[in-house]
Amino acid sequence: ISDAEAGGKRGEENPVYAELNSRLRRLVSAPNIQDRLACAAILSALVDIDMLETKQKMRVMGQLGSLLKTSDMVVCTEAAMVFKKVLRKRWPEAINSAEKEVNLCLEWLGNERSEVRRMTALLLLEALCQESTATLYQYATKILTSLSPPLRDNKLEMRLAAARALGACLQLVPKQDQSPRNVLLNYLFEELQRDQQLGTAEGYHASLLRCQELVQYGGMFMQAHLGQASEMALKLKDHRDPVVRKAAICLLPMLARYSPQDFTKYTVGGESLLVRSCSFLIALARASERDRPTSFLALAHISQCCNIEFRPFLEPTTRAIRDVLAMRAKSRNATSETDETATAILRTIAILATAMGPALTRYMRDILDLMFTTGLSEALCDSLTVVEREVSQLQPAIQDRLLDM
């Protein structure tokens, strides 16, 4: 298309565009999912072309709208990604229709029985809130209210999509407008408490997801609720549902990042939140294979936020890393491939090196050899690069081991 444009064949006269448009008309309504995915791919490529004329952009928007109303989630997901790209390009045709799209999404969330429609609405709301901030502020209350049912949905993917939309919507609310902002944030915190009162795994998960977004985007509002958030995370960290447990574990380093000082001083049951969290995470990383990646990464992120205060936990954390890697190397089922646990451990080591610097040296001697048992991978290379940069004393040992591979 670009070559033809350069040759003077512009707009509707461009033969390549004319051929593509002819194919798009067939693909957009095709019964075959692969054909509709091909349509989404072509539309994505067209959006990348800066010289499209208004009529062509309107046609792309119309074809995107058709894809977004299909009954296949894979097609709708791809179409939503293209729609987000259009918004990012600031096409007037998309920005001007943002309010119309929001109202359609709210209608789908409020009245639509189709799971695909509701999920599509959440994807579109996330994109609209991220890319159309100035125009959608007036819809913030309606959007936040509409997200409560999907946050409590029995489908995990629905809850996660609703949480992403919630975070994007919170960024619509200007920090300068304290009064309306606090009304919205108080509403969300009240909904968080209602989620907990449901007493179901879905309700607990919804409350943790809300809390995560409030901690990230609620500004100083959560300062007054930090104790409640901390106690909720500690209470649910042992929940029998792995999804709830993971969300509670992920909340702990978020709280540390939000207020490192409070995280190290706030006490629960006679111990600081830092002590309770790190002791639990180290034990869980050792005992639970399923929770191991999340636990190690949570420890690493806490070390970034609570640098000096984390030092008492550096030795037990690295010992747990060493023991898990050694156990993995000896296991009959161990492979040379870098699995999820190994990747998480390698990332943990890199973050610890960045946070603790030379203090990590004495603990890394036994771990270096074990790192190479995870297999040659991008994760290993990235981790070694960081360790070599942040803990220069280990540079000769790392280079020797690389030469021996």
Side-chain angles (χ1 to χ4, degrees):
I1 289 178
S2 299
D3 289 344
E5 295 274 350
K9 300 288 187 179
R10 302 186 62 81
E12 301 292 304
E13 296 179 3
N14 187 321
V16 180
Y17 175 76
E19 175 61 25
L20 275 179
N21 189 49
S22 175
R23 296 189 184 190
L24 283 169
R25 282 198 298 268
R26 295 195 300 270
L27 294 172
V28 73
S29 58
N32 187 299
I33 291 176
Q34 296 303 319
D35 286 342
R36 280 176 279 161
L37 287 175
C39 179
I42 294 172
L43 291 174
S44 180
L46 285 173
V47 173
D48 289 330
I49 299 174
D50 293 329
M51 57 188 72
L52 287 186
E53 296 178 348
T54 299
K55 188 175 181 180
Q56 294 169 315
K57 291 178 179 179
M58 292 296 292
R59 188 173 289 126
V60 168
M61 293 295 297
Q63 290 161 337
L64 259 184
S66 297
L67 289 181
L68 288 166
K69 293 176 182 177
T70 61
S71 59
D72 186 270
M73 193 64 244
V74 177
V75 175
C76 289
T77 300
E78 291 298 315
M81 291 173 63
V82 180
F83 183 75
K84 185 172 184 177
K85 184 190 287 190
V86 169
L87 289 171
R88 196 165 288 166
K89 285 271 192 175
R90 311 304 295 173
W91 282 12
E93 296 78 10
I95 300 300
N96 294 339
S97 67
E99 294 185 24
K100 176 183 175 183
E101 298 297 339
V102 168
N103 283 318
L104 180 61
C105 291
L106 293 174
E107 180 184 336
W108 284 357
L109 285 176
N111 305 316
E112 186 59 57
R113 294 183 180 181
S114 167
E115 183 179 309
V116 174
R117 285 282 172 88
R118 285 184 286 124
M119 178 65 85
T120 303
L122 294 172
L123 296 176
L124 292 179
L125 282 176
E126 179 189 1
L128 285 160
C129 290
Q130 286 177 338
E131 306 298 338
S132 307
T133 305
T135 58
L136 298 185
Y137 169 49
Q138 60 182 312
Y139 289 91
T141 300
K142 289 183 179 180
I143 294 172
L144 291 174
T145 303
S146 73
L147 294 177
S148 286
L151 273 167
R152 298 166 182 150
D153 197 89
N154 59 358
K155 294 290 181 65
L156 173 60
E157 295 80 7
M158 192 77 71
R159 297 198 298 273
L160 294 175
R164 292 193 298 271
L166 172 62
C169 185
L170 280 175
Q171 296 176 70
L172 288 176
V173 187
K175 293 182 180 179
Q176 296 84 356
D177 298 344
Q178 283 299 319
S179 181
R181 178 180 173 83
N182 284 336
V183 169
L184 287 175
L185 296 178
N186 277 312
Y187 163 76
L188 289 176
F189 197 79
E190 289 169 3
E191 286 293 288
L192 181 156
Q193 293 173 316
R194 292 190 189 96
D195 293 337
Q196 285 185 281
Q197 291 167 4
L198 294 174
T200 62
E202 292 81 7
Y204 288 132
H205 189 224
S207 66
L208 288 163
L209 291 174
R210 283 187 199 272
C211 194
Q212 289 177 7
E213 301 304 327
L214 282 169
V215 168
Q216 289 189 86
Y217 304 113
M220 292 303 295
F221 172 82
M222 282 302 290
Q223 189 69 45
H225 303 287
L226 201 62
Q228 291 170 272
S230 302
E231 290 177 21
M232 177 176 68
L234 291 175
K235 173 187 174 183
L236 296 175
K237 64 181 174 49
D238 298 308
H239 197 276
R240 64 180 180 276
D241 188 290
V243 172
V244 174
R245 198 163 59 243
K246 181 176 180 179
I249 292 170
C250 290
L251 178 57
L252 292 171
M254 290 182 180
L255 294 171
R257 188 181 309 115
Y258 181 81
S259 179
Q261 186 176 8
D262 288 322
F263 194 80
T264 57
K265 292 184 177 180
Y266 183 82
T267 58
V268 181
E271 291 182 310
S272 73
L273 185 54
L274 173 68
V275 172
R276 287 282 301 273
S277 299
C278 291
S279 300
F280 165 76
L281 291 169
I282 291 169
L284 189 65
R286 285 182 170 279
S288 173
E289 185 175 354
R290 169 182 269 175
D291 298 311
R292 197 165 281 154
T294 309
S295 301
F296 273 129
L297 287 171
L299 283 164
H301 292 307
I302 290 173
S303 76
Q304 282 183 306
C305 306
C306 306
N307 197 288
I308 295 175
E309 290 81 1
F310 185 82
R311 288 196 176 188
F313 302 99
L314 185 56
E315 190 273 335
T317 298
T318 52
R319 190 167 64 240
I321 289 173
R322 181 197 65 196
D323 293 347
V324 169
L325 286 177
M327 179 174 60
R328 182 184 180 280
K330 293 177 182 178
S331 172
R332 294 178 183 177
N333 298 323
T335 67
S336 60
E337 296 179 0
T338 309
D339 56 19
E340 182 185 5
T341 296
T343 299
I345 288 177
L346 292 170
R347 284 185 59 200
T348 298
I349 293 170
I351 296 171
L352 286 173
T354 303
M356 311 308 294
L360 191 64
T361 306
R362 59 183 292 196
Y363 307 111
M364 283 296 297
R365 302 293 181 186
D366 296 332
I367 293 176
L368 269 181
D369 286 335
L370 291 169
M371 289 175 69
F372 286 90
T373 66
T374 64
L376 184 60
S377 65
E378 184 177 352
L380 175 63
C381 294
D382 290 344
S383 184
L384 290 173
T385 299
V386 174
V387 171
E388 188 177 31
R389 183 184 68 238
E390 302 294 337
V391 191
S392 58
Q393 296 91 328
L394 295 173
Q395 189 177 75
I398 292 173
Q399 291 175 348
D400 288 343
R401 284 164 176 77
L402 286 171
L403 290 172
D404 289 340
M405 287 190 73

